Amino acid sequence: DAGVIQSPRHEVTEMGQEVTLRCKPISGHDYLFWYRQTMMRGLELLIYFNNNVPIDDSGMPEDRFSAKMPNASFSTLKIQPSEPRDSAVYFCASSFSGATGELFFGEGSRLTVL
Amino acid sequence: AQSVTQPDIHITVSEGASLELRCNYSYGATPYLFWYVQSPGQGLQLLLKYFSGDTLVQGIKGFEAEFKRSQSSFNLRKPSVHWSDAAEYFCAVGPGRGAQKLVFGQGTRLTINP
């Protein structure tokens, strides 16, 4: 079975540009999470969805960040406009409600904002 | 509020030596506890989990962890490490069955000396 698929794996952009990160969760999973990982702050939960509905977006840094899940097989995390401090690895993870805490992570999208 | 502390940022052990990674949690009720591993350039993978019952739990790759309520700890152990165990290890706590939102520790980076 395919795991969680993220794209792009690497993105280099200039400050002020719009960035869109994409995620395809594992089929049948009803939870989807977006995490950000940096050396300074570690692994931070940005937002998570249950059955395509955002449940908790308290970790979203500011209004420049937005996330959507239009259907069960696709989610996006958008940053507009991007800033150098947004440089990080962004992970998408999915899980099934019947398996508490068992998150399956994608390989991450490494974002560099110049 | 839940929190997880991993006191050791970086640990180096020799191949074949035993390993113990420390994790302390703060949570009012009985927590759901997890250890995840992140190999370089990869997403996190679940090693093992504790919900209830036997306080010594076995995981994949020969790892085990012991829940000690009196010490609020959930330390990860392995009797003999292999070079392939070099990775970053994350302890995490969840609020209960069915709840998927985890709080992760800062991680411990494990280096293996040949």
Side-chain angles (χ1 to χ4, degrees):
Chain A
D1 288 339
V4 175
I5 300 172
Q6 292 186 245
S7 64
R9 289 296 311 278
H10 302 275
E11 175 93 7
V12 180
T13 191
E14 293 189 346
M15 183 173 63
Q17 296 299 305
E18 178 179 295
V19 173
T20 300
L21 308 178
R22 298 172 177 80
C23 175
K24 177 178 170 57
I26 292 173
S27 177
H29 283 188
D30 52 353
Y31 280 85
L32 184 137
F33 304 81
W34 282 101
Y35 284 89
R36 177 172 68 176
Q37 186 177 40
T38 61
M39 290 290 292
M40 291 300 295
R41 301 174 67 92
L43 198 61
E44 303 173 273
L45 176 63
L46 300 178
I47 185 172
Y48 76 97
F49 297 82
N50 178 219
N51 292 322
N52 313 336
V53 176
I55 302 301
D56 184 350
D57 65 354
S58 60
M60 296 286 262
E62 48 199 272
D63 291 346
R64 297 185 298 107
F65 285 69
S66 63
K68 294 182 180 179
M69 192 167 185
N71 56 63
S73 59
F74 184 66
S75 177
T76 59
L77 178 67
K78 187 173 293 187
I79 309 172
Q80 166 63 17
S82 59
E83 296 182 3
R85 59 192 169 125
D86 302 329
S87 298
V89 180
Y90 291 81
F91 287 102
C92 176
S94 70
S95 68
F96 172 59
S97 54
T100 301
E102 294 186 36
L103 275 58
F104 291 79
F105 283 77
E107 294 187 319
S109 294
R110 181 176 293 277
L111 173 64
T112 302
V113 183
L114 304 175
Chain B
Q2 305 163 69
S3 67
V4 176
T5 301
Q6 294 180 246
D8 305 305
I9 296 174
H10 184 204
I11 283 183
T12 299
V13 299
S14 297
E15 190 167 16
S18 64
L19 171 70
E20 182 168 25
L21 302 182
R22 296 184 292 164
C23 172
N24 293 99
Y25 67 89
S26 173
Y27 185 62
T30 299
Y32 282 47
L33 294 162
F34 308 84
W35 275 100
Y36 280 79
V37 60
Q38 183 181 27
S39 298
Q42 302 294 313
L44 281 69
Q45 179 186 20
L46 180 66
L47 274 179
L48 48 78
K49 60 189 177 185
Y50 171 78
F51 292 168
S52 63
D54 192 347
T55 56
L56 184 65
V57 293
Q58 303 296 320
I60 61 172
K61 306 184 181 186
F63 285 91
E64 65 179 26
E66 186 171 13
F67 171 61
K68 292 186 177 180
R69 183 188 301 276
S70 61
Q71 299 178 17
S72 297
S73 69
F74 188 57
N75 294 350
L76 182 71
R77 301 194 295 246
K78 187 169 185 178
S80 176
V81 297
H82 186 262
W83 63 267
S84 60
D85 294 323
E88 186 138 19
Y89 292 80
F90 293 88
C91 183
V93 62
R97 183 173 295 280
Q100 300 290 346
K101 182 179 178 180
L102 302 183
V103 174
F104 285 88
Q106 285 291 93
T108 297
R109 184 160 62 93
L110 175 65
T111 298
I112 307 294
N113 281 338

